[in-house]
Amino acid sequence: MVKAGETVSATSYGVGNPVYIVGSATGKDGIHGAAFASKNITEDSVNDLPAVQVGDPFQEKLLLEATLEVIKTGAVVGMQDMGAAGIICSNSEMSAKGEHGMKINLDLVPTRQENMKPFEILLSESQERMLIVVHKGREKEVEAVFDKWDLNCAIIGEVTDTKRLEYYAGGVLVADVPADDLVLGGGAPVYEREYKEPAYFAENQKFRIEDVAEPANLLDVAEHLISHPNIASKRWVTDQYDSMVGVATMTTNRPCDAAVVNVLNTNKAIVITTDCNSRYVYADPQRGTAIAVAEAARNITCAGGEPVAITNCLNFGNPYVPEVYWQFVGAIKGMSEACLKFETPVTGGNVSFYNQSTDDGPVFPTPTIGMLGVMDDISNIMTLDFKQPDDLVYLIGESVNDIASSQYLASYHKILKAPAPYFDLDKEYAMHQVVKELIKHKMIQSAHDVADGGLFIALVESSLPNGLGFAIESDGSIRKDAFLFGEAQGRVVVSVAPADQERFIELMATSETEFSLLGTVTHLGKLSIDDEPFGNIMDIKLVYDNVLHAILGE
């Protein structure tokens, strides 16, 4: 019997056991989704069938519930979801792992379109599907479960002892291949592809902050960043979707660095976030991708969770261009480095190549990280909002004289040639452990990571929910624009109740993580930096909340 989370032993499938496909029917849109990731974007791409299959969350939910129920019957020997490369991938991986083979009749695969060719059925990446091996003689139990959930459920073949995949269509054997030859780690070929460092990378390293004049009026910079679509609120988009599905979301009206979802009937929660700054990755693929993992972990930590695993969505240009493949190689190295540090295994993901056109070239490399965390006690949930006036505002992590690859440098100064921002993986990791202790011992009122837009934007975002303000002093040892708008990594803004200040300082003093007092939370929403006014939070909110609506709305 297969239980949730278990892997299948090497000889468990059993000759003659039926092979089921359940869930959505196979369609040609799935094969074109696979083909999209095999060619550059051109003017003719608009005429292609949909490049990405439209997911059906409701169908997915039914499939997940039915899958959990069918596992409990004990009738299931093994199963695998269908993702990249469709049936052929699931068949080969399951067969190789189980040291068996499969004989599949493609005429029995449910399809949405007529006259699909065998290779289209095999390679279609249509979503919401599972491949299941069932104990022979227990078919009725399995079919009853999927009938209950109103899902397609069809026997398409059986397990064999040949270690080969045999596919039939119209009574004719159309393919016969050893399963192991199609599996990475088995007999599948491994390619050594050429790559080389692009010329721009060396140019990026020549950047010097001294060559950038510090603006005379930093309030202009603040207003520019608040109104920038990369930084402003995305609620105009997200509020168009139902955020209350399942009514287990704990952060619908509680601002938090990550989404927190209560595991019903328990005191636990899962914590979820996604992250990637493609500007950092373009500047330095290895460091930029490590930053993406670290910031995702920072979001989980600031929400009160423990990072446990990641998935990814890796978006790059044409891998046959050596400079593009160099970006990809660097990104994988950076992801590996950071995941090993945070002990977050990569549980899955996808790679999308050929995201480029003849005229505009490749997209910025964008290895998006989706991270899962766990919260053992939901009372540890931490939000980002300042709670009350007179709370003390601290910066955990070091202020660095750095503006490299910041939104400020890119859009205000329009300078794109710069390295990735300051990042020290060891210091980042150590800082996370300190924040976890602060949350665990109830020493802070809020926690919010410093990311896009720098410290100023982090402070504004903590002020917005309750209409509060802040009065802070800058660090005279570095440039004021770097202090406010630089995006050096490894920093978190926290607020501390005056009664907890002594405990807070004692804990911080026992760590090796730098921290500094910035100032206090203020009432009436007034923002002050070095005794200079930096606007009112209600005026900022009006802009911040409506930027995307002004650009994209009707």
Side-chain angles (χ1 to χ4, degrees):
M1 174 180 174
V2 177
K3 297 180 180 179
E6 287 187 345
T7 57
V8 180
S9 62
T11 58
S12 64
Y13 284 124
V15 175
N17 281 338
V19 179
Y20 279 84
I21 186 170
V22 297
S24 298
T26 300
K28 290 184 179 180
D29 57 344
I31 188 66
H32 282 271
F36 173 73
S38 302
K39 61 181 181 180
N40 290 348
I41 301 170
T42 68
E43 292 181 358
D44 294 331
S45 295
V46 71
N47 298 318
D48 292 342
L49 282 177
V52 179
Q53 309 92 60
V54 177
D56 185 338
F58 184 71
Q59 184 85 350
E60 182 74 28
K61 176 65 171 175
L62 294 179
L63 181 61
L64 293 176
E65 295 294 344
T67 299
L68 292 173
E69 185 171 330
V70 80
I71 289 174
K72 291 178 181 178
T73 68
V76 175
V77 182
M79 67 169 59
Q80 182 166 322
D81 71 311
M82 291 191 189
I87 294 174
I88 188 70
C89 181
S90 298
N91 281 168
S92 59
E93 290 182 347
M94 291 182 76
S95 296
K97 181 185 291 185
E99 296 184 357
H100 284 75
M102 288 187 185
K103 183 181 292 184
I104 304 295
N105 185 349
L106 297 178
D107 297 332
L108 300 178
V109 177
T111 59
R112 292 197 300 275
Q113 282 103 5
E114 296 181 356
N115 303 317
M116 287 187 69
K117 298 176 182 178
F119 83 89
E120 292 178 319
I121 296 174
L122 284 173
L123 295 177
S124 173
E125 297 179 2
S126 294
Q127 302 298 292
E128 293 90 38
R129 299 183 300 164
M130 287 277 189
L131 195 72
I132 300 179
V133 175
V134 174
H135 286 295
K136 191 174 181 63
R138 304 190 66 177
E139 294 87 347
K140 295 295 184 183
E141 296 175 62
V142 170
E143 292 167 8
V145 171
F146 289 104
D147 285 345
K148 168 188 171 182
W149 291 96
D150 196 25
L151 292 168
N152 281 319
C153 176
I155 295 177
I156 62 171
E158 65 179 16
V159 175
T160 69
D161 61 0
T162 64
K163 297 186 180 180
R164 301 183 71 85
L165 304 174
E166 302 168 72
Y167 297 102
Y168 291 83
V172 177
L173 181 65
V174 294
D176 181 0
V177 62
D180 196 58
D181 286 1
L182 301 180
V183 178
L184 278 177
V190 177
Y191 299 98
E192 295 290 339
R193 186 161 290 161
E194 176 191 1
Y195 60 90
K196 68 176 182 179
E197 180 182 297
Y200 79 77
F201 183 74
E203 289 297 312
N204 287 352
Q205 311 314 308
K206 297 177 182 178
F207 173 80
R208 297 171 68 253
I209 189 173
E210 295 80 8
D211 296 334
V212 181
E214 187 172 358
N217 187 350
L218 293 181
L219 180 58
D220 286 345
V221 180
E223 292 174 344
H224 167 78
L225 292 176
I226 288 164
S227 62
H228 197 284
N230 284 354
I231 288 176
S233 172
K234 310 303 185 293
R235 283 190 176 273
W236 181 81
V237 175
T238 59
D239 283 356
Q240 296 183 44
Y241 298 85
D242 190 347
S243 61
M244 296 294 288
V245 172
V247 296
T249 304
M250 300 176 65
T251 50
T252 301
N253 296 307
R254 301 172 72 181
C256 198
D257 273 5
V260 180
V261 181
N262 184 213
V263 180
L264 295 180
N265 303 316
T266 75
N267 199 40
K268 300 178 183 294
I270 60 173
V271 191
I272 312 163
T273 190
T274 60
D275 202 271
C276 183
N277 188 315
S278 59
R279 192 170 55 253
Y280 299 171
V281 183
Y282 175 78
D284 185 330
Q286 184 165 340
R287 185 191 296 182
T289 307
I291 288 173
V293 174
E295 186 177 346
R298 203 183 317 143
N299 290 336
I300 298 287
T301 295
C302 286
E306 177 72 35
V308 295
I310 76 161
T311 184
N312 57 54
C313 178
L314 311 179
N315 305 280
F316 292 81
N318 187 336
Y320 286 97
V321 176
E323 291 83 357
V324 170
Y325 200 63
W326 175 85
Q327 294 174 334
F328 181 71
V329 169
I332 298 303
K333 289 179 178 179
M335 189 189 312
S336 172
E337 177 186 18
C339 284
L340 288 170
K341 185 67 177 180
F342 286 100
E343 299 182 338
T344 51
V346 182
T347 61
N350 75 294
V351 181
S352 176
F353 283 128
Y354 300 94
N355 295 287
Q356 68 180 75
S357 66
T358 303
D359 294 334
D360 299 325
V363 298
F364 269 12
T366 311
T368 304
I369 303 298
M371 183 173 283
L372 171 71
V374 295
M375 188 181 295
D376 289 331
D377 183 352
I378 56 176
S379 69
N380 283 332
I381 185 172
M382 179 55 60
T383 58
L384 62 83
D385 53 316
F386 292 150
K387 301 302 188 298
Q388 57 269 327
D390 300 324
D391 278 355
L392 302 156
V393 181
Y394 279 89
L395 178 66
I396 300 178
E398 59 185 315
S399 295
V400 181
N401 197 42
D402 179 77
I403 58 174
S405 289
S406 62
Q407 187 67 59
Y408 159 61
L409 183 68
S411 60
Y412 188 85
H413 288 288
K414 303 198 178 338
I415 297 174
L416 301 179
K417 293 181 178 180
Y422 170 84
F423 176 64
D424 185 307
L425 183 56
D426 291 333
K427 289 183 178 180
E428 174 91 38
Y429 179 81
M431 182 272 294
H432 289 217
Q433 310 320 305
V434 172
V435 173
K436 290 174 190 175
E437 288 298 306
L438 292 170
I439 294 173
K440 177 182 176 181
H441 294 290
K442 316 293 187 197
M443 293 184 184
I444 57 176
Q445 299 294 310
S446 67
H448 185 28
D449 78 314
V450 177
D452 297 356
L455 176 62
F456 176 77
I457 293 299
L459 291 167
V460 165
E461 290 173 342
S462 290
S463 300
L464 282 167
N466 298 320
L468 297 171
F470 57 81
I472 67 165
E473 300 291 327
S474 62
D475 184 339
S477 66
I478 63 174
R479 286 174 43 151
K480 194 169 180 177
D481 60 343
F483 175 75
L484 291 175
F485 311 120
E487 296 177 14
Q489 301 296 296
R491 297 180 294 161
V492 169
V493 170
V494 300
S495 59
V496 180
D500 294 322
Q501 183 181 23
E502 185 175 345
R503 287 199 306 146
F504 171 84
I505 293 175
E506 286 178 356
L507 188 147
M508 291 303 304
T510 63
S511 75
E512 295 183 359
T513 298
E514 291 190 30
F515 71 105
S516 55
L517 176 63
L518 296 176
T520 59
V521 178
T522 62
H523 59 80
L524 302 178
K526 295 180 180 179
L527 312 185
S528 170
I529 301 172
D530 295 332
D531 296 324
E532 296 179 10
F534 261 70
N536 185 283
I537 203 65
M538 299 313 296
D539 295 331
I540 289 173
K541 180 177 176 60
L542 190 63
V543 175
Y544 183 85
D545 285 348
N546 291 287
V547 169
L548 289 190
H549 185 221
I551 297 172
L552 303 173
E554 296 180 354

